[in-house]
Amino acid sequence: MKTLVVLQGPTGVGKTELSLSLAEWLHTPILSADSRQIYRDIPVGTAAPTAEQLQRVKHYFVGMLDLHAYYSAARYESEALAVLEQEFAHRDVVLACGGSMMYLDALCQGIDDIPTIDDETRRRMRQRYETEGLEPLQRELRLLDPEYYDRCDVRNPKRVVHALEICYMTGRTYTSFRVRRQQQRPFNIIKIGLMRERAELFDRINRRVDQMMAEGLMDEARRVLPYREQNALNTVGYKELFRHFDGEWTLDFALEKIRRNSRVYAKKQMTWFKKDATVRWFHPSEADAIRNYIAESLD
């Protein structure tokens, strides 16, 4: 039986180096499950694999899209399954690695078949949010889809705007598309989660921000500033530096915000991952134990 090994964990936990060594051991390419590393032009802020790492192991879904390109978990599901079919034709094991919760869910169990928003609806709703603000849109969502309004984080403009886009484009509620039918995959799945003690993880995240700055995050953010409205840049690291460029925040304050928001995102990831009882958890230093677990699971 063909097997997909999934290596997952929060930002900053140490997935990249371990994924490379596992891929070399398994003689497999890596399917990236990261919703931001898929874009080119922002490798520093997304901690994308370096040119040297890409030379070591073939990667899919890294640096393949322009910043303005629209991409979704549904499209990722379709394209990742096509890659797996292609790879499984001549190998028994493939490795996926990432921390984007929706992409991992899409790959392993499928996601709801939610329509892709047309450009006109997307433009109109973005304009409304920019001119009216969030509060009127929250009220509108409560009226059009009260069930989703009660469930979602209505302080998150992306969630509110997207739900309204669906309502206006289809004439149906967003809730009506969220049926959560789990798809059966024609391959086995071994899920490995990486975790560290919170203090250790947060220290790594804090230090990684300093490392990104040393690697050129400031210059990278300045280069992509003209495209700041693109969804690809609605991302920790860029949002905060854009506010610094606007003169709203000092650099030190922006960097502290990046550290804090990265820690918040890591906590959100861990909350999500821990809901899945099929994940086997390891510390990243337990490489031998991870390899033994994979080998036993493949027998």
Side-chain angles (χ1 to χ4, degrees):
M1 187 72 170
K2 305 298 184 179
T3 301
L4 175 67
V5 177
V6 178
L7 183 68
Q8 61 190 45
T11 184
V13 77
K15 297 183 294 293
T16 299
E17 188 55 43
L18 182 58
S19 71
L20 291 166
S21 64
L22 287 178
E24 290 170 332
W25 173 64
L26 291 166
H27 306 289
T28 171
I30 295 173
L31 267 68
S32 171
D34 188 296
S35 64
R36 290 301 181 261
Q37 290 182 3
I38 200 167
Y39 293 98
R40 63 179 70 97
D41 298 322
I42 49 173
V44 177
T46 61
T50 64
E52 181 184 23
Q53 290 168 334
L54 293 172
Q55 191 74 25
R56 278 178 62 185
V57 176
K58 180 178 180 178
H59 284 67
Y60 290 96
F61 306 104
V62 171
M64 60 177 274
L65 294 177
D66 292 329
L67 291 175
H68 68 270
Y70 175 73
Y71 204 76
S72 66
R75 182 175 163 189
Y76 177 78
E77 176 186 6
S78 173
E79 295 182 356
L81 290 177
V83 168
L84 284 177
E85 184 177 5
Q86 168 190 320
E87 288 294 332
F88 281 145
H90 54 88
R91 69 178 80 250
D92 293 329
V93 181
V94 176
L95 177 66
C97 176
S100 293
M101 294 87 80
M102 290 295 292
Y103 278 34
L104 290 165
D105 267 9
L107 178 61
C108 295
Q109 62 194 44
I111 61 170
D112 298 325
D113 188 17
I114 295 172
T116 299
I117 307 302
D118 62 67
D119 291 341
E120 175 58 23
T121 302
R122 188 176 301 278
R123 183 196 62 75
R124 188 167 65 246
M125 288 305 304
R126 181 187 299 161
Q127 187 176 46
R128 285 195 57 197
Y129 170 61
E130 290 172 355
T131 57
E132 300 175 31
L134 182 59
E135 193 172 332
L137 301 183
Q138 291 172 329
R139 291 197 297 267
E140 205 164 308
L141 180 61
R142 188 174 190 176
L143 181 67
L144 294 175
D145 191 350
E147 186 176 349
Y148 184 66
Y149 178 89
D150 289 340
R151 289 182 181 177
C152 85
D153 177 8
V154 293
R155 295 168 298 181
N156 185 329
K158 185 178 177 182
R159 299 278 173 86
V160 173
V161 168
H162 183 58
L164 287 173
E165 288 172 342
I166 294 292
C167 291
Y168 284 118
M169 196 183 80
T170 67
R172 291 170 50 184
T173 65
Y174 186 40
T175 301
S176 69
F177 289 97
R178 292 165 55 86
V179 293
R180 300 300 297 168
R181 293 194 190 98
Q182 184 163 334
Q183 303 293 320
Q184 294 298 314
R185 298 305 191 203
F187 46 81
N188 288 329
I189 300 176
I190 300 171
K191 292 183 181 179
I192 295 166
L194 299 183
M195 64 187 306
R196 296 177 185 266
E197 292 295 330
R198 177 173 292 196
E200 181 187 14
L201 177 63
F202 286 1
D203 180 62
R204 284 177 57 88
I205 289 172
N206 293 339
R207 286 188 285 112
R208 189 163 82 156
V209 173
D210 297 333
Q211 181 182 344
M212 286 178 172
M213 288 296 289
E215 291 173 355
L217 177 60
M218 190 85 157
D219 291 338
E220 184 174 273
R222 205 181 298 277
R223 280 198 306 272
V224 299
L225 181 61
Y227 314 103
R228 64 188 298 172
E229 298 305 322
Q230 301 299 329
N231 186 55
L233 295 172
N234 183 24
T235 303
V236 176
Y238 303 101
K239 295 186 298 183
E240 296 84 357
L241 286 177
F242 292 161
R243 294 181 77 167
H244 166 63
F245 297 152
D246 290 341
E248 187 177 345
W249 289 349
T250 66
L251 179 58
D252 285 345
F253 188 78
L255 292 178
E256 188 51 44
K257 282 288 191 179
I258 294 173
R259 296 183 188 100
R260 179 184 179 279
N261 291 337
S262 297
R263 297 193 300 266
V264 168
Y265 180 57
K267 287 191 286 187
K268 183 187 296 185
Q269 288 173 299
M270 287 305 300
T271 299
W272 180 290
F273 293 142
K274 285 181 178 178
K275 294 176 183 176
D276 188 347
T278 66
V279 179
R280 178 73 175 268
W281 293 96
F282 296 89
H283 190 279
S285 64
E286 299 178 287
D288 289 341
I290 292 170
R291 281 192 287 268
N292 289 338
Y293 175 68
I294 294 172
E296 291 168 3
S297 301
L298 291 173
D299 286 342

